[in-house]
């Protein structure tokens, strides 16, 4: 998910047909402004679809189409003559579109590739989201430079302008605010979520030391995440994502503190049982003493008890995990549907 910056305040002017050469200052401003409006529409469409859960890889067609349109805008700007010798406004748009082209042609192309490995680790995910943040900051800085030039050009040509934020600009700002909020929560969630995966991997490898190490780290990450959630406000009165994230982290913390030790005990008992069974099987039946048989039977009973307890714990863990994860996913979808505007 990506951080969208505030769009330039667009000016309500009569838009002239692009095929005509602008004859007046207002037509000149409208000529450039209308092109920017079209680019914003495509830009919003890309960002909105991304925020609604579409992977960057699936949005490659939209990204490439936007690159084509930016190139067209630059071509038109390059053919546009300065207005009465004044090229400041044209060059301001050209500078922004040059940067817009670079960001979507290069930076977002890299972001698409980063997406492929983002979920492999917390560091990868953080770098992936940070790359989107930086791309947005670059666009914000470049875009902000147009407004003062626009106003200066209007003042110089005795044009009265009315600053009014368009619906499109409002949508872009809304997408940006939602993404920024969601990214913060998602990193809190993902750090704990990924660590739980490492605990599971340790169990699958039957590595008791790794299980204990990853268990303690999971407790740490879940506790830190819960503390961060205490400082987060609801988004425009909607606290559903914070609540959903809290439920996931509370589950992880409880799992690490209470359930993982039971699974560790099972692994320990299982290892002990394998050693006893190996020694018992290695001794010929004729040479087995009653003490050998009693010891082996006791090991079986102990193993069965631990296995029963472990299976109950695993069933509870899986059911609870499914509940909190389904709640997280459903809540995230509803949150995005409620707060991220569509491009149309």
């Amino acid at each position: 998910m990506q951080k969208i910056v505030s769009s330039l305040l667009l000016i309500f002017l009569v838009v002239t047909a692009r095929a005509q050469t602008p004859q007046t200052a207002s037509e000149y401003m409208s000529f450039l402004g209308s092109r920017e409006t079209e680019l914003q529409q495509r830009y919003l469409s890309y960002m909105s679809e991304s925020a609604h859960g579409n992977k960057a890889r699936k949005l490659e067609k939209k990204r490439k189409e936007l690159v084509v349109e930016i190139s067209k805008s630059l071509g038109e700007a390059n053919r546009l003559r300065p207005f009465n010798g004044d090229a400041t406004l044209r060059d301001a748009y050209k500078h922004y579109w040059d940067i817009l082209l670079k960001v979507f042609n290069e930076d977002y192309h890299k972001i698409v590739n980063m997406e492929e490995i983002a979920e492999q680790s917390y560091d990868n995910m953080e770098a992936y989201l940070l790359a989107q943040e930086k791309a947005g900051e670059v666009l914000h800085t470049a875009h902000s430079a147009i407004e003062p030039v626009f106003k200066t050009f209007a003042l110089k040509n005795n044009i009265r302008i009315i600053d009014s934020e368009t619906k499109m600009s409002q949508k872009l700002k809304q997408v940006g605010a939602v993404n920024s909020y969601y990214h913060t929560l998602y990193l809190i969630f993902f750090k704990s979520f990924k660590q739980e995966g490492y605990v599971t991997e340790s169990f699958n490898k039957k590595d008791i030391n790794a299980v204990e190490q990853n268990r303690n780290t999971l407790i740490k990450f879940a506790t830190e995440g819960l503390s961060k959630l205490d400082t987060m406000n609801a988004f425009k009165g909607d606290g559903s994502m914070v609540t959903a994230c809290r439920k996931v982290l509370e589950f992880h913390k409880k799992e690490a503190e209470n359930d993982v030790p039971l699974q560790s005990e099972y692994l320990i008992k299982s290892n002990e049982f394998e050693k006893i069974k190996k020694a018992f099987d290695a001794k010929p039946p004729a040479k087995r003493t009653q003490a050998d048989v009693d010891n082996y039977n006791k090991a079986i009973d102990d193993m069965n008890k631990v296995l029963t307890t472990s299976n109950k714990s695993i069933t509870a863990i899986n059911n609870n995990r499914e509940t909190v994860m389904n709640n997280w996913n459903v809540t995230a979808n509803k949150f995005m549907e409620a707060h991220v505007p569509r491009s149309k």
Side-chain angles (χ1 to χ4, degrees), residues 314-332:
I314 289 174
T315 299
I317 289 173
N318 290 337
N319 289 338
N320 290 334
R321 180 187 297 109
E322 182 178 5
T323 297
V324 297
M325 289 303 300
N326 283 343
N327 181 64
W328 165 264
N329 291 326
V330 169
T331 302

Side-chain angles (χ1 to χ4, degrees), residues 246-292:
R246 187 181 301 281
K247 288 181 179 179
V248 173
L249 268 57
E250 287 176 343
F251 161 71
H252 287 161
K253 190 170 184 291
K254 179 179 180 296
E255 175 191 13
E257 291 177 340
N258 301 330
D259 296 304
V260 173
L262 294 177
Q263 305 309 315
S264 295
E265 183 181 357
Y266 166 75
L267 287 181
I268 293 172
K269 290 291 185 181
S270 178
N271 289 336
E272 292 176 352
F273 177 75
E274 288 300 321
K275 291 177 182 179
I276 294 174
K277 184 177 185 301
K278 185 177 181 181
F280 184 80
D281 291 341
K283 185 177 286 190
K287 292 186 178 182
R288 293 172 185 167
T289 65
Q290 186 61 43
D292 291 331

Side-chain angles (χ1 to χ4, degrees), residues 117-125 190-218 221 252 255 260 321:
I117 62 172
E119 294 191 2
Q120 292 181 5
S121 71
Y122 175 82
D123 289 342
N124 286 351
M125 180 60 71
F190 189 77
K191 191 172 188 177
S192 185
F193 167 80
K194 195 65 181 177
Q195 186 59 37
E196 189 207 19
Y198 295 144
V199 174
T200 301
E201 288 179 11
S202 300
F203 272 122
N204 292 337
K205 294 177 181 178
K206 298 183 178 181
D207 188 336
I208 297 295
N209 291 331
V211 169
E212 186 63 15
Q213 181 180 358
N214 284 312
R215 179 183 82 89
N216 289 329
T217 303
L218 178 56
F221 287 173
H252 287 161
E255 175 191 13
V260 173
R321 180 187 297 109

Side-chain angles (χ1 to χ4, degrees), residues 144-163:
S144 297
I146 298 177
E147 184 176 8
V149 179
F150 195 95
K151 291 183 176 180
T152 299
F153 183 89
L155 181 63
K156 180 179 179 180
N157 290 279
N158 298 317
I159 296 176
R160 180 175 176 271
I161 60 176
I162 302 175
D163 289 348

Side-chain angles (χ1 to χ4, degrees), residues 162-173:
I162 302 175
D163 289 348
S164 180
E165 198 169 29
T166 64
K167 289 183 178 180
M168 198 180 307
S169 296
Q170 293 172 354
K171 287 181 178 181
L172 281 169
K173 290 175 68 175

Side-chain angles (χ1 to χ4, degrees), residues 29 49 80 87 102 139-140 144 194 203 242 261 263 292:
M29 296 167 74
E49 291 301 314
L80 185 64
K102 179 182 181 299
L139 292 181
H140 171 65
S144 297
K194 195 65 181 177
F203 272 122
V242 173
Q263 305 309 315
D292 291 331

